[in-house]
């Protein structure tokens, strides 16, 4: 990251990640719906998805759904303890 953007690049943090994910989400909506016009976006097809920094996100109407993981820190790694999957 710093090799590409320099020593004074903004810090990587949750705010930056959330902004990046919002752009990925909007790009996926635009591709799927043909535009970002509200009437078109309101008709997004169930099952539309995008792969963001936090994993796979599925869209169903006006809801976004994704699996959540509970992990334990072990030294410098995370060990997934449980996956809380989408309710079907």
């Amino acid at each position: 990251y710093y090799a590409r953007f320099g020593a004074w690049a903004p810090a990587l943090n949750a705010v930056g990640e959330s902004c990046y994910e919002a752009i990925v989400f909007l790009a996926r909506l635009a591709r799927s719906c043909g535009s970002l016009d509200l009437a078109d976006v309101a008709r997004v097809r169930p099952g539309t998805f995008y792969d963001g920094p936090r994993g796979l996100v599925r869209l169903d109407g006006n809801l976004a759904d994704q699996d959540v993981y509970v992990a334990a820190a072990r030294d410098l790694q995370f060990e997934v303890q449980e996956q809380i999957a989408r309710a079907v």
Side-chain angles (χ1 to χ4, degrees):
Y1 175 78
Y2 292 110
R4 181 170 179 182
F5 298 109
W8 302 107
L12 296 173
N13 58 29
V15 173
E17 184 272 334
S18 292
C19 290
Y20 175 80
E21 182 149 4
I23 292 168
V24 171
F25 173 69
L26 285 172
R28 180 63 179 146
L29 274 180
R31 277 194 306 275
S32 180
C33 299
S35 79
L36 289 176
D37 182 87
L38 289 180
D40 294 332
V41 170
R43 293 188 293 270
V44 66
R45 293 182 317 268
T48 300
F49 67 92
Y50 70 95
D51 195 14
R54 291 180 251 200
L56 187 69
V57 179
R58 295 166 291 274
L59 305 178
D60 188 9
N62 64 346
L63 300 175
D65 184 28
Q66 73 182 124
D67 297 343
V68 175
Y69 299 88
V70 177
R74 304 276 187 246
D75 298 316
L76 298 177
Q77 301 290 321
F78 288 108
E79 290 181 11
V80 174
Q81 304 294 304
E82 189 170 344
Q83 177 183 0
I84 303 169
R86 171 174 104 156
V88 179

